[in-house]
Amino acid sequence: MEDVLRSLGFLCLGSRMKRIGEQLQADTQRVLDRLDMRIQSSQYPLLAALDRLGPLPVGELAQSLGIAQPGVTRSVALLAELGLVEVNPSQDDQRRRIVSLSRNGRRLVDQAKREIWPSIENAVADLCADLSGPLLGQLAAIEDRLAATPLYRRAENAKVAAS
C-alpha cells in the first residue's frame, strides 16, 4: 500500500517526523519495559534535564525541554507520585514550584546513564549512520531502517556489542 505521508514529501514533513519520533519512543519503551523500568520513555528527558541543570522551576524546566508547561506539570505530578522528583515552593516566591530529583530519582538516572541511555544513543546513531543527501531521502532511509530493524533491537545489539 502507498505510504501517503512519504508520497506527499515536504507537505507532510511534520507528520513524518512525528511518526518517526513516535516509533523511536515506542521502541525505547520496549527497551525500558524489558529492563523493568517504572517510567515512560517520554519522561526521561525531564529527568535528564534535572540531572544536567539541577533543581528548576516548572516553567524553566518546560523551557529547557522546549515543550508546553502543562505537559511538564503533568509529567512532574506523575514522577512525584512515583517518588522520583520532589516539588517544593521556591524560597523567594512561594507561588513558584521548584522541581528536583529525589534520592530514588537520582538512583534511577544514574542507572539509566550507565545501563540504558548509552545503548539507546548507540542504536539511534547506528540507525542514522551514513545518511547523506536530501532530507526526504534521509527520512525515507530512517523509516526503512526502522521497519527492517526496530530501535529496540538495535539497542539490544548495541548493548551486546558494548559488552
Side-chain angles (χ1 to χ4, degrees), residues 63 68 73 88 115:
Q63 185 179 12
T73 300
N88 295 299
E115 300 173 16

Side-chain angles (χ1 to χ4, degrees), residues 131-157:
L131 287 177
S132 62
L135 177 62
L136 291 179
Q138 290 180 25
L139 290 176
I142 289 171
E143 290 167 333
D144 292 344
R145 291 174 182 184
L146 283 171
T149 308
L151 189 71
Y152 72 91
R153 284 203 195 123
R154 291 173 185 273
E156 290 171 352
N157 295 339

